[in-house]
Amino acid sequence: MTLHMNKIAAIAQVKTRAFMGKNCIIMPIFAIGFTAVMRILYNNMDMGSSAPIEMLNAYVLSMGLVMNLGMTGIYCPCLLLAEEKEKNTLRVLMTSSVNGLEFFLGSILPVFIVTAIINFLLMPISGYMISGNDLAVFALVSILSSLTSCIIGMLLGIFAKNQVSAGTIITPVVLIFMLIPMFANMIEELSKISRFLFTGILMDMIADISTGAKEIIKPESIAILIAEVIISIALFVIFYRKNGFEKD
C-alpha cells in the first residue's frame, strides 16, 4: 500500500481545524482541569503520614493521564469521524484515491500529538515531576498509550452513525478503560484485567515510580502495549474496508 504524504498532510490539516471546534477542544481542557482540581482536593485531605504528598500527587497524575486518554484520546477521534459522516465529507474520501492507511494516519495525527503533549503537561499540573531514566520510560509508555487510545477512538467512530450515537458508543468503552484501573487496587479480579489494559499499565507504572521500585515496568507490559497498537491498527484497516470506506 503506497502512502502519499501530501494526502496525509491534507487530511491532518482538515482534522486539526475540526479538532479546534468546541466539541473536541474542551476534552483536553477538561483533563487538565480535572487534574488540577484533584490535586487541590488530595492536598487538602488529611491522609496521615502513611500517604506522603508526593505519592498523592503521583496518584493524581495517574488519574489525570487516564482521564486524558479517555476523553481526548478515545472521545475526540470518534467524534470527529462521526461528524464527517453527518456532513457527508467522509463519502468524498470513500470515493477518492485516499486509501485506508492514509486516512487513518491523517485523521489520528492531530489528536495523537495533542494527547501526548497533554500527558507531559499533566506532570507540573499534578505536582509530580518525573525525571532521569524514569522520564524516558514514561515517555515511551505514555506515547504508546496515547496512540492506542486514539486508534480505539477511530475504531469506535467507524460504528457511530452520527455524533449522538458516538456518545452512546464511547461512554461504556471509556468507563471500562478508566474505572478498571482506578479500582484495581480494591478488587483483585479487576487487578488481573487491568494489567492487560494500556490505562492500567500506565497507572501501575506511575505507582511504581512513586514508590521507588527497581523495575517500574515489566518487558511483558511493553509487549502488551505494542501488541495493542498493532492489533488496533489492523482492526481499523479491516473495518475501514469492510464498511465500504475504500474502493480499490
Side-chain angles (χ1 to χ4, degrees), residues 63-171:
M63 288 195 298
L65 291 170
V66 170
M67 182 66 67
N68 182 46
L69 293 175
M71 302 307 294
T72 307
I74 297 179
Y75 183 87
C76 290
C78 180
L79 189 66
L80 291 175
L81 186 52
E83 185 178 8
E84 284 186 332
K85 290 182 179 181
E86 279 194 67
K87 296 180 178 179
N88 292 322
T89 54
L90 184 59
R91 179 61 57 183
V92 177
L93 291 172
M94 291 178 188
T95 56
S96 70
S97 59
V98 175
N99 60 49
L101 190 54
E102 288 170 344
F103 175 76
F104 167 78
L105 292 175
S107 298
I108 206 173
L109 193 59
V111 181
F112 165 69
I113 292 175
V114 172
T115 305
I117 291 175
I118 296 297
N119 284 342
F120 285 91
L121 290 178
L122 291 180
M123 283 194 286
I125 295 173
S126 67
Y128 186 76
M129 298 299 297
I130 302 173
S131 59
N133 294 331
D134 292 345
L135 181 60
V137 178
F138 171 81
L140 174 62
V141 175
S142 65
I143 288 174
L144 288 175
S145 299
S146 298
L147 183 57
T148 304
S149 67
C150 291
I151 299 171
I152 292 174
M154 290 288 291
L155 269 172
L156 296 176
I158 290 178
F159 300 102
K161 296 181 179 180
N162 50 52
Q163 295 183 65
V164 175
S165 64
T168 304
I169 294 173
I170 293 170
T171 300

Side-chain angles (χ1 to χ4, degrees), residues 213-242:
K214 293 182 179 179
E215 186 180 42
I216 60 175
I217 189 167
K218 298 179 180 179
E220 52 264 35
S221 295
I222 295 294
I224 291 173
L225 290 173
I226 295 174
E228 288 177 345
V229 171
I230 295 173
I231 293 172
S232 299
I233 292 176
L235 288 174
F236 174 81
V237 173
I238 291 172
F239 284 111
Y240 184 91
R241 293 174 175 172
K242 185 178 180 180

Side-chain angles (χ1 to χ4, degrees), residues 188-233:
E188 185 178 353
E189 288 73 15
L190 293 182
S191 178
K192 295 178 181 178
I193 299 174
S194 179
R195 68 185 64 173
F196 292 100
L197 303 179
F198 63 94
T199 48
I201 292 173
L202 185 58
M203 285 196 74
D204 289 342
M205 183 194 68
I206 298 298
D208 290 337
I209 292 175
S210 67
T211 57
K214 293 182 179 179
E215 186 180 42
I216 60 175
I217 189 167
K218 298 179 180 179
E220 52 264 35
S221 295
I222 295 294
I224 291 173
L225 290 173
I226 295 174
E228 288 177 345
V229 171
I230 295 173
I231 293 172
S232 299
I233 292 176

